[in-house]
Amino acid sequence: SRSGYLIAPTLPPVFCAGGIPEMSTVGRTADELVDRFVDYLNGAGFKPKFEDEIPEELRTLKNECGMFLWQIRPASSNSWVDEFAQTLPHQWPKPFRSLIDRYRFSNIEVGPLMLFANTGHDHFYELSKRVFADEGIFPLLHRHGLQQFGLPQEANYDPVCFDMQRRNCGDAPIIQLDHEEVLLRNRIRIVQEIAPSFSHFMQRAITERFPVS
């Protein structure tokens, strides 16, 4: 294993979609799978947010509590994504890049993880802000080829990352790290592998109807 890198449990090698037929995306582009993923999330619905948590362009209705229902919206251009990507040590996996290039959304909990927001606004969970928010975490992650894009949930500070050193076929495994090992001991411990790739995660969310909030 890499120096300072504790792996638990032992992780298998990553294969292209063809190596996992039940999750195969053969004949389906990354964009098409992302579009299906977004359709599923919007159909499942999200918990309402307060005015300062959700930009106006994503709002649909205001409820009796003064909170806003909202949806993921397509975008003709998310100019901040290119600028943000240039500050990172690795390119995003292609399916994830397709999502943040073409859609705008607040932070979303989908099954075992929470995606950071991609609104282009200065919100607390904004992806472009959260990746560099904690100087006790991101330098070590980046040295080990780990690119954070979320958390297990709002109440859990463990980084959820793409393991870019295991990337394959334009995608990468999704892993959850122990944040205390990073902050207190300056080392990496993998709590679990959430999915062997982002494509695999999206397909499972759709077919297994992951809970959404």
Side-chain angles (χ1 to χ4, degrees), residues 22-130:
E22 71 278 11
M23 299 297 171
S24 176
T25 57
V26 175
R28 186 182 304 136
T29 67
D31 286 354
E32 289 170 341
L33 180 56
V34 167
D35 292 343
R36 291 177 59 234
F37 180 61
V38 168
D39 286 345
Y40 170 71
L41 297 179
N42 277 338
F46 311 106
K47 62 184 179 184
K49 292 182 179 290
F50 289 107
E51 184 176 2
D52 61 350
E53 297 177 309
I54 191 77
E56 186 174 357
E57 63 265 26
L58 301 186
R59 301 172 193 167
T60 55
L61 296 172
K62 189 176 184 179
N63 67 17
E64 64 277 7
C65 300
M67 301 178 75
F68 290 89
L69 303 178
W70 64 279
Q71 287 200 319
I72 302 172
R73 299 290 197 194
S76 58
S77 174
N78 288 337
S79 59
W80 64 87
V81 173
D82 268 337
E83 297 170 9
F84 170 46
Q86 291 173 16
T87 68
L88 297 169
H90 302 279
Q91 295 182 2
W92 292 112
K94 290 179 181 178
F96 185 76
R97 181 63 190 259
S98 171
L99 175 66
I100 61 176
D101 268 339
R102 300 187 302 116
Y103 288 99
R104 298 181 185 184
F105 49 90
S106 186
N107 55 296
I108 307 167
E109 292 191 14
V110 188
L113 63 81
M114 184 190 81
L115 295 168
F116 286 147
N118 186 53
T119 68
H121 295 266
D122 190 22
H123 291 294
F124 181 78
Y125 282 115
E126 190 72 12
L127 175 68
S128 59
K129 305 290 189 294
R130 297 312 306 169

Side-chain angles (χ1 to χ4, degrees), residues 1-7 140 144 146 181-182 185-190:
S1 63
R2 299 192 286 277
S3 176
Y5 202 91
L6 307 181
I7 298 182
L140 182 66
H144 286 280
L146 302 169
E181 289 289 331
V182 177
R185 300 176 182 86
N186 197 40
R187 61 185 182 185
I188 299 293
R189 186 176 77 83
I190 297 175

